[in-house]
Amino acid sequence: MGTEKRERQKANRQLKYEQQAKQVQRQRLTKRVIVGIVAAVVAVGFVIFLALAFGDSDDDSPTPATEVSTLSSDSTSGGPLPTVAVPELSGPTTPIEFTYGTGECPPSEGSAEPVTTFSDAPQQCIDPAATYTARFVTDRGDIVVDLDTTHSPGTVNNFVTLARFGYYDDTTIFRTNTSIDIIQGGGLTNTDSPGYEIPDEGTGYEYPPGVLAMARTDAPDSAGGQWFFTTGPNSAGLSGDGTYVVFGAVTAGSDIAAEINALAGPDGDTPTESVTLQRVEITES
C-alpha cells in the first residue's frame, strides 16, 4: 500500500508540472502575438505619417474662398462656363439715396416686343428683397452677373426694367478698350439712350476685374441704358473717379468678356470684329 500511494503522488506531481509548463508556454505565445500586433500597428502608423508629412500634391495652391459653381454658358447647348473668382462689391464710400421715376413696369416674363424709347425713368419695379441674376447672351458666349440690390437697388431696377422690356435685344458691344480693360454696350452705338437719365447712387466705387457698372458722360446723374464690364487689371485706374455706379459682379463668363476686349482695334476703342448682344435674361429668386 505504501508503494502504490507514493506512485500516485509522483504521478500527480508530474501531471501538475506538465500543466504548469503548458500554461507558461501559452502565456509566452500570447505575449509574442500581442507584441507582433503592436509592432504592426506602429509600423502602419509611421508609414501614414510619412505619407502625410512628405507626400506630393497635384496642386499646392489654395482654392479661393470666393470661387463659385459653374453655370451653363449657352441657353441651347448647356455647356459649362469656367468657375471664376467673384469680386467683392463694397458699394460707394459716399452713398446717395436714389430717386425713382414714374415710368411703367414691364411684365415679369418680359415684353413681347422690344421697347427702345421711354418717356421717363422707371418706377420701382423690382423687389429689393429678391435676388436678381442677369445672363448676357452674346454671339461669343454668355456672361453671367449677380446684380447688387444691396448697394445699388435703383440702378439694378433700371437695368432689370430695360432688360425685361427687351431694350438690349440685338444690340452690340461697341467699345473695347485695353488701356482701361473695359467692354461697353447698351445700344448700337455710344450715343444710344432710352430717352431719360437716372441719378447716381453715390461715389467712391472701386473697379476690380469682373464688375458691371453704368456708363455715363463726365456729368453726374447722366446714366441711362449703357453699361460696361471691367475685364482686367487696368480697370483699377478708373477708381480715381469712382463715379460710375457698380451694380453687379461677374460669376461666370469673365473669359468671354476678356476675349471680347482683346478685339480692340488700333484706335483703342472700337472692336475689330462685331459682337452682338442677342438678349439679357433676368432671373429672379
Side-chain angles (χ1 to χ4, degrees), residues 51-223:
L52 292 175
F54 302 104
D56 257 338
S57 173
D58 291 336
D59 185 2
D60 293 330
S61 58
T63 301
T66 53
E67 282 197 32
V68 295
S69 301
T70 56
L71 295 169
S72 172
S73 66
D74 188 293
S75 298
T76 56
S77 68
L81 282 170
T83 298
V84 298
V86 182
E88 183 177 352
L89 303 181
S90 57
T93 56
T94 307
I96 299 174
E97 186 175 356
F98 188 87
T99 302
Y100 293 90
T102 60
E104 295 182 1
C105 295
S108 58
E109 67 277 8
S111 179
E113 294 293 333
V115 180
T116 58
T117 304
F118 304 84
S119 58
D120 192 14
Q123 60 186 280
Q124 185 175 9
C125 298
I126 66 169
D127 178 3
T131 299
Y132 292 87
T133 300
R135 179 182 289 270
F136 291 70
V137 181
T138 83
D139 59 355
R140 305 295 174 123
D142 292 5
I143 305 170
V144 182
V145 181
D146 281 349
L147 301 178
D148 185 9
T149 54
T150 300
H151 300 110
S152 312
T155 304
V156 171
N157 180 77
N158 176 71
F159 178 81
V160 169
T161 299
L162 290 175
R164 284 177 168 170
F165 269 124
Y167 179 80
Y168 298 118
D169 292 5
D170 297 319
T171 57
T172 63
I173 294 179
F174 49 76
R175 184 184 185 194
T176 52
N177 190 313
T178 54
S179 67
I180 51 176
D181 283 337
I182 69 165
I183 61 173
Q184 184 173 332
L188 293 174
T189 70
N190 63 355
T191 61
D192 285 356
S193 167
Y196 63 80
E197 295 175 340
I198 62 173
D200 300 331
E201 285 187 274
T203 59
Y205 290 92
E206 298 291 331
Y207 304 97
V211 303
L212 174 64
M214 289 301 290
R216 63 166 175 76
T217 68
D218 292 335
D221 305 322
S222 59

Side-chain angles (χ1 to χ4, degrees), residues 249-268:
V250 175
T251 60
S254 60
D255 59 325
I256 301 298
E259 289 172 8
I260 294 172
N261 194 35
L263 298 174
D267 65 354

